Amino acid sequence: MRDVSLAKSEYIPSEKTIVKIQNLHDDKELFRYCALPEILKYVECFTGPNIMAMHAMLINKPPDTGKKTSRHPMHQDLHYFPFRPSNLIVCAWTAMEHIDRNNGCLAVLPGTHKLPLKPHDYPQWEGGVNTMYHGIQDYAQDHARVHLVMEKGDTVFFHPLLIHGSGRNQTQGFRKVISCHFVSADCHYIDVKGTCQENIEKEVVETARKFYGDANSTVLKDFLMSRAQLVKGERTNL
């Protein structure tokens, strides 16, 4: 994924426009993160013994161009996931270098993991918004916010309903993080038609068709299932 304010610039090398590398299961070295015993021993506390790695990525927040596109709006990760129950899903988010408010650390709203999934859509930002950076439209702006200052190797684990986001990167360097969403193999897929997740499903399907042809949502679900990787225990539902 490329930053919207950098992607079409002819003056910036293409590798410096990259915001995220996804589908880490395609890279043996990067995917090792998802099977680290140091990570899985905590993941198991949330998912139980049968653990699937569903979505892994390296986040490369670039120096902001002044348009504030390096921000990530406040959101709940469950918005992107068509599987349940949410209490058997957890994100591991590991700093690859020092992270603070200057380079865009995580901002979280403690206790919001107890809320239901809220409607998401693109925020109305003047400088533009990166692809699929949906945000919550109606969260309480006065809710206490905590900024997570982290050192290289620090890892935070959080629930998919926790409201979180990150500010812009005001430094000249890239802010790198590696993360993975883990789920219990006992989870199951749901149909998001008619729910607040229908908008992201449509966008994912449209994007996937650009790469994989005229695929319907059933074919894409089968594709997603084939990409999920068992990292510990036995594969059951997923």
Side-chain angles (χ1 to χ4, degrees), residues 193-233:
K193 291 288 191 299
T195 74
C196 64
Q197 290 180 263
E198 191 169 7
N199 61 341
I200 188 64
E201 181 193 47
K202 289 180 179 178
E203 188 171 354
V204 169
V205 170
E206 290 171 2
T207 302
R209 282 175 177 160
K210 294 178 183 178
F211 295 96
Y212 304 111
D214 190 20
N216 60 38
S217 57
T218 300
V219 171
L220 289 170
K221 187 180 82 168
D222 291 341
F223 173 75
L224 288 171
M225 291 174 68
S226 72
R227 309 291 272 181
Q229 297 288 312
L230 182 73
V231 291
K232 187 175 181 180

Side-chain angles (χ1 to χ4, degrees), residues 140-153:
Q141 299 283 345
D142 58 351
H143 194 291
R145 184 176 300 198
V146 175
H147 294 88
L148 304 185
V149 176
M150 302 171 70
E151 299 300 332
K152 180 178 180 179

Side-chain angles (χ1 to χ4, degrees), residues 7 35 43 92 99 116 147 154 157 161 173 175-176 191 221 227:
V43 169
I99 296 176
H147 294 88
D154 285 352
F157 298 86
L161 285 170
R175 189 223 67 185
K176 292 183 175 62
D191 185 352
K221 187 180 82 168
R227 309 291 272 181

Side-chain angles (χ1 to χ4, degrees), residues 3-232:
D3 185 276
V4 66
S5 69
L6 299 173
K8 296 182 180 180
S9 174
E10 58 184 286
Y11 304 107
I12 300 175
S14 60
E15 65 270 17
K16 291 190 175 182
T17 68
I18 294 173
V19 176
K20 293 181 181 179
I21 299 174
Q22 304 202 78
N23 296 330
L24 297 191
H25 46 266
D26 288 332
D27 187 288
K28 183 178 180 180
E29 181 61 26
L30 290 176
F31 191 74
R32 283 200 309 120
Y33 168 78
C34 300
L36 287 174
E38 297 91 336
I39 296 291
L40 294 182
K41 71 177 182 179
Y42 295 106
V43 169
E44 188 170 351
C45 298
F46 299 89
T47 64
N50 301 319
I51 307 172
M52 305 289 294
M54 296 298 287
H55 177 239
M57 59 185 173
L58 191 152
I59 305 169
N60 187 52
K61 186 189 283 284
D64 198 86
T65 62
K67 296 185 177 181
K68 301 181 181 180
T69 55
S70 64
R71 295 177 292 173
H72 199 302
M74 302 300 281
H75 65 283
Q76 296 164 300
D77 288 341
L78 193 66
H79 172 65
Y80 298 95
F81 299 147
F83 37 83
R84 300 292 189 275
S86 61
N87 284 338
L88 295 180
I89 305 170
V90 67
C91 178
W93 201 92
T94 300
M96 298 176 69
E97 57 201 323
H98 175 80
I99 296 176
D100 57 28
R101 295 185 68 172
N102 289 324
N103 60 5
C105 66
L106 276 182
V108 305
L109 305 188
T112 52
H113 66 289
K114 298 177 183 179
L115 298 175
L117 180 62
K118 292 179 172 291
H120 289 60
D121 210 335
Y122 283 106
Q124 300 302 307
W125 289 349
E126 291 183 5
V129 187
N130 284 312
T131 300
M132 297 189 196
Y133 273 34
H134 291 193
I136 294 175
Q137 304 299 296
D138 65 347
Y139 73 92
Q141 299 283 345
D142 58 351
H143 194 291
R145 184 176 300 198
V146 175
H147 294 88
L148 304 185
V149 176
M150 302 171 70
E151 299 300 332
K152 180 178 180 179
D154 285 352
T155 301
V156 60
F157 298 86
F158 56 90
H159 192 282
L161 285 170
L162 179 74
I163 297 176
H164 65 288
S166 62
R168 60 194 175 105
N169 181 357
Q170 303 176 70
T171 71
Q172 295 304 304
F174 289 81
R175 189 223 67 185
K176 292 183 175 62
V177 168
I178 191 167
S179 75
C180 182
H181 281 91
F182 298 93
V183 309
S184 167
D186 297 323
C187 285
H188 59 274
Y189 282 94
I190 64 167
D191 185 352
V192 300
K193 291 288 191 299
T195 74
C196 64
Q197 290 180 263
E198 191 169 7
N199 61 341
I200 188 64
E201 181 193 47
K202 289 180 179 178
E203 188 171 354
V204 169
V205 170
E206 290 171 2
T207 302
R209 282 175 177 160
K210 294 178 183 178
F211 295 96
Y212 304 111
D214 190 20
N216 60 38
S217 57
T218 300
V219 171
L220 289 170
K221 187 180 82 168
D222 291 341
F223 173 75
L224 288 171
M225 291 174 68
S226 72
R227 309 291 272 181
Q229 297 288 312
L230 182 73
V231 291
K232 187 175 181 180

